Amino acid sequence: MNERMSRVELRAGASLAGVYGLRMLGLFFILPVFAVHAVTLEGGADLTLVGIAIGGYGLSQGLLQIPFGMASDRWGRKPLIYSGLLVFAAGSFLGVAATDIWTAIAARVLQGAGAINSVAMALAADLTREQHRTKIMAMIGATIGLTFALSLVGAPVLYRYIGMGGVFALTGVLSFAAIAVVKYWVPDQPPQRENDLPEPSTLRRAFEPELLRLNAGIFILHIVLYAMFVVVPPLLVQTGLPLPEHWKLYLPVVLASFVLMIPGVVYADRKNRPKPVLLAAVALLVAVEAALAALDAGIAALAVLMLGFFAAFNVLEAMLPALVSRIAPAQGRGVAIGVYNTTQTLGVFFGGLLGGWAAMHFGAAAVFGICAALAAVWLLVAAGMRPLGSVNQLTSLTFSIAAGVELEHLRESLAAVRGVREAEVLPRERIAHLKVVTGQWDESKVRKLITGEV
């Protein structure tokens, strides 16, 4: 047994984090500048349409996450990732030609049709053991946060020199770079057999109450994020900070938020107590949004409140997918994560729509007030979450398979051992990943199978 992260797990985490980073960088480059740029587009004075353009990719992505996840369960993760990245690139290049708000909306919707998030997360979960999955998801979450920070800093500068068309073109180039990372760096998914495909009972578990709580949380989190960025960039301009200088606020705030994020994630991982950390982060989100709604904040107050927002956001963005991957059944993991990503990306769409509509009719304070109310609802929902130990009493283990052991039927033999709930064999690495019932599995039988002893 090896309780440390294997080279395959490290490589999988780093490479998939890179894929996420390249793709999300392309999406995030639009976020900090579009609300200010929109006034130069035909029809861009309508804030509701601006909000739809900002969050539009979430609608098509939300509708396609589950089909992509199901397809990846049947036909493999990598082919679906390649096709999704190509569609995303096509949407990016359409955005280069956008001179009106409707073409911009169409470009964002086409970008979202490359719905690979669920597939990439499922592949990350396929290649890692449960006890390391929080670390891998935290790597991905931290990378997303870093790309978010980079976009906040770099997008205003890029917009100044290459314009919105250049920013869209750059997102297409980044998508091609992500394809190269998948091809040359991401490990292959363990081969699936026909009986590995999800059964109807397994699919139903993708909608069990604990997963629904997490899905509701990511939905609200992304409503809040995208609604805020309909109004925050214009607010910063109103306080006297020009768009090209927004990085002066974002950079220190986001970097400091990463430092604040680390203790909570480490505590949740090492103590196996994610619930109190999650509740604390959601409570902080409620407080920040309520303060933004109540205060006529100047630049210093905005910086402090944005620090609190990003600290909460980073913790939640790292923890939620890790919890989903731990609770979801392995054979239907692509579907379960597809449901999760569907709610996430629909939150993107409704956040942009709600933020634009509320800002247009009631002003920025109303946007923050709605966000505070939604976060408070999430806090109530999350308070009923069961401790993780009562959800899952399983332990993930990894074994090296002896050289003389025949691999053809090993997975089935391991899966039939008492106390073994899930078995996965990686032929190339000669490694077996097992999920066993703690204290109840037949260790001697497992060892005989992987060593070839009689």
Side-chain angles (χ1 to χ4, degrees):
M1 286 186 296
N2 181 11
E3 294 303 320
R4 300 178 62 185
M5 290 183 69
S6 67
R7 292 200 308 178
V8 171
E9 289 173 319
L10 287 170
R11 180 181 166 193
S15 57
L16 286 169
V19 171
Y20 257 91
L22 290 168
R23 183 175 180 275
M24 297 309 294
L25 188 61
L27 289 171
F28 286 149
F29 267 147
I30 310 299
L31 190 58
V33 296
F34 191 83
V36 178
H37 166 79
V39 295
T40 67
L41 299 176
E42 182 181 348
D46 188 328
L47 289 180
T48 302
L49 295 180
V50 172
I52 293 174
I54 290 174
Y57 81 90
L59 179 61
S60 54
Q61 190 162 173
L63 294 174
L64 292 173
Q65 285 292 349
I66 295 177
F68 263 71
M70 294 181 71
S72 75
D73 281 335
R74 182 172 293 274
W75 291 301
R77 314 294 189 204
K78 280 192 173 184
L80 272 296
I81 294 176
Y82 291 140
S83 60
L85 288 171
L86 288 173
V87 172
F88 178 80
S92 300
F93 292 123
L94 176 61
V96 175
T99 58
D100 62 87
I101 192 67
W102 292 105
T103 303
I105 291 172
R108 294 289 278 172
V109 170
L110 186 56
Q111 282 184 320
I116 67 164
N117 284 13
S118 62
V119 184
M121 282 191 180
L123 182 55
D126 290 337
L127 296 170
T128 56
R129 289 165 290 168
E130 182 179 334
Q131 65 263 42
H132 298 307
R133 204 160 290 148
T134 298
K135 301 183 186 74
I136 297 297
M137 296 301 176
M139 287 172 63
I140 293 174
T143 301
I144 293 173
L146 285 170
T147 58
F148 191 27
L150 181 59
S151 71
L152 293 175
V153 174
V157 178
L158 286 171
Y159 177 74
R160 179 176 183 178
Y161 289 104
I162 64 176
M164 186 58 69
V167 172
F168 268 113
L170 180 59
T171 67
V173 172
L174 291 173
S175 184
F176 290 131
I179 290 174
V181 172
V182 174
K183 181 174 178 60
Y184 295 109
W185 289 98
V186 176
D188 291 332
Q189 176 193 6
Q192 286 184 302
R193 299 174 185 164
E194 202 166 311
N195 61 359
D196 288 332
L197 298 176
E199 299 293 333
S201 60
T202 302
L203 298 180
R204 285 194 294 271
R205 288 185 57 197
F207 298 92
E208 66 180 24
E210 295 305 314
L211 287 173
L212 291 177
R213 293 181 196 276
L214 300 174
N215 293 339
I218 198 65
F219 178 69
I220 291 173
L221 182 62
H222 281 75
I223 286 180
V224 171
L225 174 65
Y226 279 78
M228 283 181 64
F229 271 87
V230 175
V231 295
V232 167
L235 277 180
L236 293 177
V237 172
Q238 291 173 21
T239 61
L241 191 66
L243 181 58
E245 296 184 17
H246 284 191
W247 68 270
K248 295 180 179 178
L249 181 143
Y250 291 138
L251 179 60
V253 162
V254 174
L255 291 179
S257 73
F258 288 139
V259 176
L260 296 175
M261 157 194 173
I262 293 171
V265 172
V266 170
Y267 175 83
D269 184 42
R270 292 184 178 175
K271 301 295 185 180
N272 196 28
R273 295 190 64 203
K275 181 177 178 179
V277 177
L278 187 146
L279 291 177
V282 178
L284 177 58
L285 192 64
V286 174
V288 167
E289 297 299 327
L292 285 167
L295 301 175
D296 185 12
I299 190 69
L302 277 173
V304 172
L305 292 172
M306 292 302 288
L307 173 60
F309 170 78
F310 283 122
F313 178 83
N314 290 339
V315 168
L316 295 166
E317 190 75 14
M319 288 183 61
L320 290 172
L323 291 173
V324 170
S325 67
R326 292 180 69 177
I327 295 171
Q331 293 177 337
R333 189 174 288 133
V335 178
I337 297 178
V339 174
Y340 170 84
N341 279 284
T342 295
T343 55
Q344 178 185 43
T345 51
L346 288 177
V348 169
F349 172 71
F350 284 108
L353 176 63
L354 181 62
W357 177 82
M360 184 172 184
H361 292 91
F362 305 105
V367 175
F368 296 129
I370 292 170
C371 290
L374 289 172
V377 171
W378 181 11
L379 187 60
L380 292 175
V381 171
M385 176 181 174
R386 287 181 289 164
L388 190 61
S390 65
V391 175
N392 196 343
Q393 294 287 355
L394 304 181
T395 299
S396 292
L397 304 171
T398 296
F399 296 87
S400 295
I401 303 169
V405 174
E406 187 66 39
L407 300 180
E408 184 177 358
H409 299 292
L410 181 59
R411 192 201 71 82
E412 290 86 348
S413 298
L414 289 169
V417 174
R418 176 176 55 83
V420 175
R421 291 292 177 84
E422 296 174 8
E424 194 173 66
V425 173
L426 280 62
R428 185 182 303 174
E429 295 82 7
R430 296 193 68 84
I431 287 175
H433 293 320
L434 303 183
K435 185 175 287 188
V436 302
V437 180
T438 305
Q440 300 180 29
W441 62 290
D442 190 341
E443 181 177 355
S444 63
K445 179 65 173 176
V446 168
R447 290 190 179 277
K448 288 180 180 179
L449 288 170
I450 65 170
T451 61
E453 297 176 0
V454 178

